[in-house]
Amino acid sequence: MGIYRLGYVQLRVTDLERAVAYYTNVVGLLETGRQPGMVYLKCWDEHDHHSIVLRESDSPGADRFAFKAENSEDLEIFEKRLEARGVRVKRRAEGESYAQGESLAFESPGGHTVEVYYRMEKVGNGLPFFNPDILLLNLKGIAPQHTDHILVTSPDPKQDLAFYQEVFDFHLTEQVVDFDGSVVGGFLERSHTPHDIAIYPGRAGGFHHVAFWVESWHEVARAADILTVNRIPIDAGPTRHNRTRGYTTYFFDPFGNRNEVFTGGYLPDRDNQPISWSIDTLGTFYWQSKA
Amino acid sequence: MGIYRLGYVQLRVTDLERAVAYYTNVVGLLETGRQPGMVYLKCWDEHDHHSIVLRESDSPGADRFAFKAENSEDLEIFEKRLEARGVRVKRRAEGESYAQGESLAFESPGGHTVEVYYRMEKVGNGLPFFNPDILLLNLKGIAPQHTDHILVTSPDPKQDLAFYQEVFDFHLTEQVVDFDGSVVGGFLERSHTPHDIAIYPGRAGGFHHVAFWVESWHEVARAADILTVNRIPIDAGPTRHNRTRGYTTYFFDPFGNRNEVFTGGYLPDRDNQPISWSIDTLGTFYWQSKA
Amino acid sequence: MGIYRLGYVQLRVTDLERAVAYYTNVVGLLETGRQPGMVYLKCWDEHDHHSIVLRESDSPGADRFAFKAENSEDLEIFEKRLEARGVRVKRRAEGESYAQGESLAFESPGGHTVEVYYRMEKVGNGLPFFNPDILLLNLKGIAPQHTDHILVTSPDPKQDLAFYQEVFDFHLTEQVVDFDGSVVGGFLERSHTPHDIAIYPGRAGGFHHVAFWVESWHEVARAADILTVNRIPIDAGPTRHNRTRGYTTYFFDPFGNRNEVFTGGYLPDRDNQPISWSIDTLGTFYWQSKA
Amino acid sequence: MGIYRLGYVQLRVTDLERAVAYYTNVVGLLETGRQPGMVYLKCWDEHDHHSIVLRESDSPGADRFAFKAENSEDLEIFEKRLEARGVRVKRRAEGESYAQGESLAFESPGGHTVEVYYRMEKVGNGLPFFNPDILLLNLKGIAPQHTDHILVTSPDPKQDLAFYQEVFDFHLTEQVVDFDGSVVGGFLERSHTPHDIAIYPGRAGGFHHVAFWVESWHEVARAADILTVNRIPIDAGPTRHNRTRGYTTYFFDPFGNRNEVFTGGYLPDRDNQPISWSIDTLGTFYWQSKA
């Protein structure tokens, strides 16, 4: 099977308690564990121990992101492919990372620290596996269902897009092209959604946003209401993306890390060619882009 | 009973056929009649002959707007009140206006031509009055259910607000106040919605927009999609108003007349005091106004 | 102005604490006061002290319902009209009813105890009247915005419909007719919604349901989720009414009093004739009624 | 990669023109081709030539359904696995099936004719691959985005569930168990949705329904409105499934073939155990199942 999905994103925050208050009360994630200087969080409908890790630091940003694969054979295959490309891989043993099994860590061409693991402690979604209900009561804030995707920047997105496709069998769903036709950004998926990771032109190791999935356009508005009542600055939206067709709101955590609530989008079939967008559509949303 | 609601708005357009194409195919109104240089339109769920009148002219804008009252006694009462204020009233007889009964016409303090009538030809909403269905098939475009409100400008909105309250028993639901507490704009209703007419500071006789009611926030997004596919410029939104709490998109007809799709809002109880807004919130929307 | 709207409904419950737990945690009303054997509740967006009163008793049902009018002149007019019909009116002085001013109480033709008042303590909706937000955080359960309407039964609905129209100037929006064309039920409004009170054939003084307004069809589904997680029996829905076009779910409080969540519907214009429904549509919903 | 998704379903209808009228005007599919006695249809957002095939016959039902795989190697692997189980496989060459490449056809343990192919004529979704819009204008009826899943019956669903998992690498997301714990039905996916095919106890070769994906719960209501206006009998819903959490309406084509509109559901992670349901929940929906 290979990569299942985006596993977790580790964010730097400059005030850990304030960050936890924001991510649990406003975004509505659930705290699942702590380590010195670190807090582990998950969306309510996720079963794995964490999908967001907060690390106290003196500047915001993303430390790393990780993909979950199926099994140890996947790790072996990926390790070989990485080494064949001359990428230095660090093996991390079971127990080295909190609540997580063995993993590979490496630096991507675009300068991101990326991890791949295949086992994480299962804490469940709070519903039984026998005759479950559909929702949890007493959730707070936006309460997204799962972490959806990450958008990062690279000085050479084309190189990164090739890297993730070749090493991890990602599928390119959409791409941004310059006026000469050269690729300057793209969207990659493993989970049959429009993207698990997107790469845009920008500084090496750069982080643009991490997105949380909500059920509907109605929930995107409700999220914006909750953000506004909590005086969280909204960067853009509610609006609709050109790329992915998704409904979205961008906003900032108290330290400047961009978050997104996202829903909608289409079912990307691997047997279709990618959609291409001209570079001048970068930064535009659908409803303001065509007139 | 007095005034029921906003009855119709007469807009100037510089190309009548292009205007009809836009208002029927994109907005999704239904054409109900023509006179030389004029086209009459209604929303599908309205029963009266027209709620929008298009008049061919050499510049855009609103010629006039009209309120529908209950009966001829209302007209008499309003006429007396207007004359008592020194407002010159023009009586228009049955048949003078297309598909409409007798009326009063006058100029408001803010310089708008306003009409009040109590009878208009009933053309129905296309559904029977016995065991009806809920919707019509084969509607085009946005297809709003009814014309909701108008926003006009006046050099002295306070004077206009008093005028409409005193002469026509409008109820003030919300107002905008300057830093010294003086009123600079407001929202008035007769139909138990947040507003049938709003008055903002600006030039005499000025027209800001006419709004069409759609069923839900979902329909506001669908309207924005339809506008975008048709390359209609969206002025703002989809977003949420501070005032009225309504969901909205502002856009322009091909001649620059601002249209709105609107839904939501609260049930304004006459026994509550009006909500006040500081003047610096003018032009802001809820989701971008608080952080 | 006369009657503004349905003011409050007093329900009998056989376990007051269990009732409060249900109406605050599941329905999501707010408790605003207590008297011996009585608890007072309101919807979050209502400004008056209460819209639901719970009274401990040995059987469920509705004790009474009340309309809010504008002022004491309204009460005098209504009193005269009632007495002219030979209805015995009981005047209740300021302070006789908790948090409420003077009122009229009487028995309707259909055997209901009805009250009309024009003043109730204002407790507000929790938002300021200056630059307010749009919503409250920390609401529980369904959290409807306001109490919408009541449906009661009468052995002779036609008589009741005439009574409310003649004495209180209600407007008939829809009616149910027998095969011989005689009226057997109907919907009456004062608040420019499809109904504030509906009367169906049934026993004298009978109570069918009280309805709470939610914002959208999405919220009707969410309400059904919340009811289900709380193991509240759903009587019907989510579905769509024939009459009113409203979206609805019927359910029962722990004592058998039927509640409804309701949204949608049209803007009923007083200048339109009422819609009529054949008697065989009683008890049907739109989506199952036509094929 | 193996199987991508459900590819097409071939339905028998007793009046081909009436069937085409229903599937294009009410369901809102697009006709893409004809062969003697056959009509080929697709959902607007699908790129392949067809996902529904109508065949004129003297009784309703499903002739066959097909999965789309990635390439010819997949077919070889599947052929070997099928033959290893003693299943007789029929190879169909390029051109034998209209608009479709070579395929395998066989009978499943449950008695269904199943086909696997990897190439179908691409007709596109009507949008360009460069700077596309988001939607098509002038669609009719419900206009679902894609064909979602099929539910079939088998005398021994457990055997079928094992068959599809072992031969085609399907993932079991949910199952129905008898009081003794034995499996009596289940849901299988390849497309990271709750199901591409579901198997319930029933007669060999039986067909329960084919489901079409719509964007939201709002669209499920709109679909029910469209069905009702067209006098199409609704079998159940709009309501919410226990299994998959999806929002749904079941209805019948004019010949008795059950159709579904479906949306919602969760992202089924392969690393989670399947959800189990007791047999007494069969035939229940979430909102009526728990009280």
Side-chain angles (χ1 to χ4, degrees):
Chain A
M1 181 71 190
I3 300 287
Y4 282 145
R5 63 182 178 272
L6 180 65
Y8 74 84
V9 177
Q10 182 169 313
L11 298 173
R12 291 191 302 277
V13 298
T14 57
D15 180 336
L16 198 54
E17 291 317 311
R18 197 174 161 211
V20 170
Y22 165 80
Y23 280 101
T24 58
N25 293 328
V26 180
V27 181
L29 307 184
L30 304 174
E31 184 182 327
T32 54
R34 294 210 173 202
Q35 292 282 291
M38 316 272 279
V39 175
Y40 297 80
L41 301 155
K42 67 182 274 290
C43 297
W44 78 265
D45 200 28
E46 293 170 333
H47 288 258
D48 281 8
H49 184 272
H50 55 266
S51 56
I52 296 290
V53 183
L54 304 176
R55 183 173 72 82
E56 195 156 42
S57 178
D58 50 12
S59 69
D63 278 339
R64 60 170 62 212
F65 55 87
F67 297 111
K68 188 170 187 187
E70 185 175 12
N71 53 36
S72 61
E73 291 79 54
D74 290 327
L75 257 56
E76 277 165 40
I77 293 166
F78 296 147
E79 191 169 30
K80 276 180 198 145
R81 290 182 185 169
L82 287 164
E83 287 172 346
R85 296 175 78 100
V87 177
R88 217 180 120 202
V89 180
K90 193 179 162 214
R91 274 271 179 183
R92 304 176 74 175
E94 172 93 32
E96 263 191 84
S97 294
Y98 182 56
Q100 180 192 303
E102 59 177 333
S103 69
L104 308 179
F106 58 91
E107 189 173 308
S108 73
H112 301 95
T113 301
V114 183
E115 194 174 1
V116 182
Y117 62 96
Y118 64 92
R119 212 158 50 207
M120 184 176 279
E121 188 183 321
K122 287 281 180 195
V123 295
N125 67 353
L127 298 171
F129 282 99
F130 184 72
N131 287 355
D133 273 279
I134 273 176
L135 73 165
L136 293 186
L137 290 175
N138 302 321
L139 296 172
K140 290 179 185 174
I142 297 169
Q145 284 166 289
H146 60 81
T147 302
D148 191 80
H149 66 269
I150 189 170
L151 193 161
V152 297
T153 64
S154 163
D156 186 355
K158 191 178 175 181
Q159 192 183 11
D160 285 83
L161 292 168
F163 172 79
Y164 290 108
Q165 290 178 82
E166 290 162 17
V167 178
F168 298 109
D169 303 316
F170 275 88
H171 163 228
L172 182 73
T173 57
E174 310 203 16
Q175 59 189 359
V176 181
V177 295
D178 208 342
F179 297 113
D180 61 3
S182 61
V183 173
V184 299
F187 290 61
L188 298 166
E189 65 89 14
R190 284 288 309 165
S191 65
H192 217 64
T193 66
H195 54 352
D196 295 300
I197 178 168
I199 302 157
Y200 267 24
R203 71 175 182 76
F207 163 71
H208 187 274
H209 71 262
V210 58
F212 300 102
W213 175 269
V214 293
E215 193 190 87
S216 67
W217 171 234
H218 184 102
E219 291 295 322
V220 173
R222 185 179 149 272
D225 284 343
I226 291 170
L227 293 167
T228 305
V229 169
N230 283 287
R231 305 295 179 257
I232 304 301
I234 291 178
D235 180 37
T239 187
R240 190 165 196 182
H241 284 299
N242 273 309
R243 285 160 285 281
T244 77
R245 296 185 192 163
Y247 300 99
T248 179
T249 295
Y250 284 145
F251 50 103
F252 293 107
D253 80 5
F255 319 99
N257 294 307
R258 194 184 278 99
N259 294 173
E260 182 184 19
V261 288
F262 179 85
T263 193
Y266 54 88
L267 212 63
D269 293 325
R270 287 208 162 214
D271 45 345
N272 288 336
Q273 63 179 102
I275 294 163
S276 293
W277 297 90
S278 59
I279 194 168
D280 55 313
T281 67
L282 268 182
T284 68
F285 294 96
Y286 179 58
W287 294 322
Q288 274 76 32
S289 67
K290 295 282 183 185
Chain B
M1 182 69 192
I3 300 287
Y4 282 146
R5 61 182 180 273
L6 180 65
Y8 73 84
V9 177
Q10 182 169 313
L11 298 173
R12 291 191 301 277
V13 298
T14 57
D15 180 335
L16 198 55
E17 290 318 311
R18 197 173 163 212
V20 170
Y22 165 81
Y23 280 101
T24 57
N25 292 329
V26 180
V27 182
L29 306 185
L30 304 174
E31 184 182 327
T32 54
R34 294 210 173 202
Q35 291 283 293
M38 317 271 281
V39 175
Y40 297 79
L41 302 154
K42 66 181 276 289
C43 297
W44 77 266
D45 200 25
E46 294 170 331
H47 289 257
D48 281 7
H49 183 271
H50 55 265
S51 57
I52 296 291
V53 182
L54 304 175
R55 183 172 73 83
E56 196 155 40
S57 179
D58 51 12
S59 69
D63 278 338
R64 58 171 62 213
F65 53 88
F67 297 111
K68 185 168 189 188
E70 187 178 11
N71 53 37
S72 62
E73 291 79 53
D74 289 327
L75 256 56
E76 277 164 42
I77 293 167
F78 296 147
E79 190 170 31
K80 277 180 199 145
R81 290 183 187 169
L82 287 164
E83 288 173 347
R85 296 174 78 100
V87 177
R88 215 179 120 203
V89 180
K90 191 181 164 212
R91 275 272 178 181
R92 303 177 74 175
E94 174 91 33
E96 265 190 81
S97 296
Y98 183 54
Q100 180 192 304
E102 58 176 333
S103 69
L104 308 179
F106 57 91
E107 187 172 311
S108 72
H112 301 95
T113 301
V114 183
E115 192 173 4
V116 182
Y117 63 95
Y118 64 91
R119 212 159 49 206
M120 184 177 278
E121 188 183 323
K122 287 283 180 194
V123 295
N125 67 352
L127 299 170
F129 282 99
F130 184 72
N131 286 356
D133 273 279
I134 274 178
L135 72 165
L136 294 186
L137 291 175
N138 302 323
L139 296 173
K140 291 179 183 173
I142 296 169
Q145 286 165 288
H146 60 82
T147 302
D148 191 79
H149 66 267
I150 188 170
L151 194 161
V152 297
T153 63
S154 163
D156 186 355
K158 192 178 173 179
Q159 193 184 7
D160 285 83
L161 293 169
F163 172 80
Y164 290 108
Q165 288 178 83
E166 290 162 17
V167 177
F168 298 108
D169 303 315
F170 275 88
H171 163 228
L172 181 73
T173 57
E174 309 203 16
Q175 58 189 0
V176 182
V177 294
D178 207 342
F179 297 113
D180 61 4
S182 61
V183 173
V184 299
F187 290 61
L188 298 166
E189 65 90 13
R190 284 289 310 168
S191 65
H192 218 64
T193 67
H195 54 352
D196 295 300
I197 177 167
I199 302 156
Y200 267 23
R203 71 175 180 79
F207 163 70
H208 187 273
H209 71 262
V210 58
F212 300 103
W213 175 267
V214 293
E215 192 191 87
S216 67
W217 172 233
H218 183 102
E219 292 294 323
V220 173
R222 186 180 149 272
D225 284 344
I226 290 169
L227 293 168
T228 305
V229 169
N230 283 288
R231 304 296 179 255
I232 304 301
I234 291 178
D235 180 38
T239 187
R240 190 165 196 182
H241 285 298
N242 273 308
R243 283 159 287 281
T244 77
R245 296 184 192 164
Y247 301 100
T248 179
T249 294
Y250 284 144
F251 50 104
F252 294 106
D253 78 6
F255 319 98
N257 295 308
R258 194 184 277 102
N259 294 172
E260 182 184 18
V261 288
F262 179 84
T263 193
Y266 54 89
L267 211 63
D269 292 325
R270 287 210 161 211
D271 46 344
N272 288 334
Q273 64 179 104
I275 294 164
S276 293
W277 297 90
S278 58
I279 195 167
D280 55 313
T281 67
L282 269 182
T284 68
F285 294 96
Y286 180 59
W287 295 323
Q288 275 76 32
S289 68
K290 296 282 184 183
Chain C
M1 182 71 192
I3 300 288
Y4 281 146
R5 62 180 178 273
L6 180 66
Y8 74 84
V9 177
Q10 182 169 314
L11 297 173
R12 290 191 302 278
V13 298
T14 57
D15 179 336
L16 198 55
E17 290 317 311
R18 198 174 161 210
V20 170
Y22 165 80
Y23 279 100
T24 58
N25 293 328
V26 180
V27 181
L29 307 184
L30 304 175
E31 184 182 326
T32 54
R34 293 211 174 200
Q35 292 282 292
M38 316 273 279
V39 174
Y40 297 79
L41 302 155
K42 68 181 273 290
C43 297
W44 78 267
D45 200 26
E46 293 170 332
H47 288 258
D48 281 6
H49 183 272
H50 55 264
S51 56
I52 296 290
V53 183
L54 303 175
R55 184 173 72 82
E56 195 156 42
S57 178
D58 52 10
S59 70
D63 277 339
R64 60 171 61 211
F65 55 87
F67 298 111
K68 187 170 187 186
E70 187 177 12
N71 54 36
S72 61
E73 291 78 56
D74 290 328
L75 258 56
E76 276 164 41
I77 293 166
F78 297 148
E79 190 170 30
K80 276 180 200 146
R81 290 183 185 169
L82 287 165
E83 287 173 346
R85 295 175 78 100
V87 177
R88 215 178 120 203
V89 180
K90 193 179 162 211
R91 274 270 178 182
R92 304 176 75 174
E94 173 92 34
E96 264 190 83
S97 295
Y98 183 54
Q100 181 191 304
E102 58 176 333
S103 68
L104 307 179
F106 58 90
E107 188 172 310
S108 72
H112 301 95
T113 300
V114 182
E115 194 174 1
V116 181
Y117 63 96
Y118 64 92
R119 211 156 54 206
M120 184 177 280
E121 189 183 319
K122 287 280 179 194
V123 296
N125 68 352
L127 299 171
F129 282 98
F130 185 71
N131 286 355
D133 274 278
I134 273 177
L135 74 164
L136 294 186
L137 291 175
N138 302 322
L139 295 172
K140 291 179 184 172
I142 297 168
Q145 285 166 287
H146 60 81
T147 302
D148 191 80
H149 66 267
I150 189 170
L151 194 161
V152 296
T153 63
S154 161
D156 185 355
K158 191 178 174 181
Q159 192 183 9
D160 285 82
L161 293 168
F163 172 79
Y164 289 109
Q165 289 177 84
E166 290 162 18
V167 177
F168 298 107
D169 302 316
F170 275 89
H171 163 227
L172 182 74
T173 56
E174 309 204 15
Q175 58 189 0
V176 182
V177 295
D178 207 343
F179 297 113
D180 60 4
S182 60
V183 172
V184 298
F187 290 61
L188 298 167
E189 66 88 13
R190 284 288 309 167
S191 64
H192 218 63
T193 67
H195 54 353
D196 296 299
I197 178 168
I199 301 157
Y200 267 23
R203 70 174 181 79
F207 163 72
H208 187 273
H209 70 263
V210 58
F212 301 103
W213 175 267
V214 293
E215 192 190 88
S216 67
W217 171 235
H218 183 101
E219 292 295 322
V220 173
R222 185 179 148 272
D225 284 344
I226 290 170
L227 293 168
T228 305
V229 169
N230 283 288
R231 305 294 180 257
I232 304 301
I234 291 178
D235 180 38
T239 188
R240 190 165 197 182
H241 284 298
N242 273 308
R243 281 159 288 280
T244 78
R245 296 185 193 163
Y247 300 100
T248 179
T249 295
Y250 284 144
F251 50 103
F252 293 107
D253 80 5
F255 319 99
N257 294 308
R258 194 184 277 100
N259 293 173
E260 182 184 19
V261 289
F262 179 85
T263 193
Y266 54 89
L267 212 62
D269 293 325
R270 286 208 163 215
D271 46 344
N272 288 334
Q273 65 179 103
I275 294 164
S276 293
W277 297 91
S278 58
I279 195 167
D280 55 314
T281 67
L282 269 182
T284 67
F285 294 96
Y286 180 59
W287 294 324
Q288 274 77 32
S289 68
K290 295 282 184 183
Chain D
M1 183 70 193
I3 300 289
Y4 282 145
R5 61 181 179 273
L6 179 66
Y8 74 83
V9 177
Q10 181 169 313
L11 297 174
R12 291 190 301 278
V13 297
T14 56
D15 179 337
L16 198 54
E17 291 317 311
R18 197 174 162 209
V20 170
Y22 165 81
Y23 279 101
T24 57
N25 292 329
V26 181
V27 181
L29 307 184
L30 304 174
E31 184 181 326
T32 54
R34 294 211 172 200
Q35 291 283 292
M38 317 273 279
V39 175
Y40 297 79
L41 303 155
K42 67 180 274 290
C43 296
W44 77 266
D45 200 26
E46 294 171 332
H47 288 258
D48 281 7
H49 183 273
H50 55 265
S51 56
I52 296 290
V53 183
L54 303 176
R55 184 174 71 82
E56 195 155 43
S57 179
D58 52 11
S59 68
D63 277 340
R64 59 171 61 211
F65 54 89
F67 298 111
K68 185 168 189 189
E70 187 176 11
N71 53 35
S72 62
E73 291 79 55
D74 290 326
L75 257 55
E76 277 164 41
I77 293 166
F78 296 148
E79 190 169 30
K80 277 181 199 143
R81 289 183 187 169
L82 286 165
E83 287 171 347
R85 296 175 77 101
V87 177
R88 217 180 120 204
V89 179
K90 191 180 165 215
R91 275 271 178 182
R92 304 175 74 173
E94 175 91 33
E96 264 191 82
S97 295
Y98 182 55
Q100 180 191 304
E102 60 176 332
S103 69
L104 308 178
F106 58 90
E107 188 173 310
S108 72
H112 301 95
T113 301
V114 182
E115 192 174 3
V116 182
Y117 62 96
Y118 64 92
R119 213 161 47 208
M120 184 177 279
E121 188 184 323
K122 287 282 180 193
V123 294
N125 67 353
L127 299 170
F129 282 99
F130 184 71
N131 287 355
D133 273 279
I134 274 177
L135 73 164
L136 294 186
L137 290 175
N138 301 324
L139 295 172
K140 290 180 184 174
I142 297 169
Q145 286 166 287
H146 59 81
T147 302
D148 192 80
H149 66 267
I150 189 171
L151 194 160
V152 297
T153 64
S154 163
D156 185 356
K158 192 178 173 179
Q159 192 184 8
D160 285 83
L161 293 169
F163 172 80
Y164 289 108
Q165 288 177 84
E166 290 162 16
V167 177
F168 298 108
D169 303 315
F170 275 88
H171 163 227
L172 181 73
T173 57
E174 309 203 16
Q175 59 189 358
V176 181
V177 295
D178 207 342
F179 296 113
D180 62 4
S182 60
V183 172
V184 298
F187 289 61
L188 298 167
E189 66 90 12
R190 283 290 307 168
S191 65
H192 218 62
T193 66
H195 54 351
D196 295 299
I197 178 168
I199 302 156
Y200 267 24
R203 71 176 182 77
F207 162 71
H208 187 272
H209 71 263
V210 58
F212 301 102
W213 175 267
V214 292
E215 192 191 86
S216 68
W217 172 233
H218 184 102
E219 292 295 323
V220 174
R222 186 180 147 271
D225 284 343
I226 290 169
L227 293 168
T228 305
V229 169
N230 283 287
R231 306 294 180 256
I232 303 301
I234 292 179
D235 180 37
T239 188
R240 190 165 196 182
H241 284 299
N242 273 309
R243 283 160 286 281
T244 77
R245 296 185 193 164
Y247 300 99
T248 180
T249 294
Y250 284 143
F251 49 104
F252 293 106
D253 79 5
F255 319 99
N257 294 309
R258 193 184 278 99
N259 293 173
E260 182 183 19
V261 288
F262 179 84
T263 192
Y266 54 89
L267 212 61
D269 293 325
R270 287 210 161 213
D271 47 343
N272 288 335
Q273 64 179 103
I275 293 164
S276 293
W277 297 91
S278 58
I279 196 169
D280 55 312
T281 67
L282 269 181
T284 68
F285 295 95
Y286 179 58
W287 293 324
Q288 274 77 32
S289 67
K290 294 284 184 183

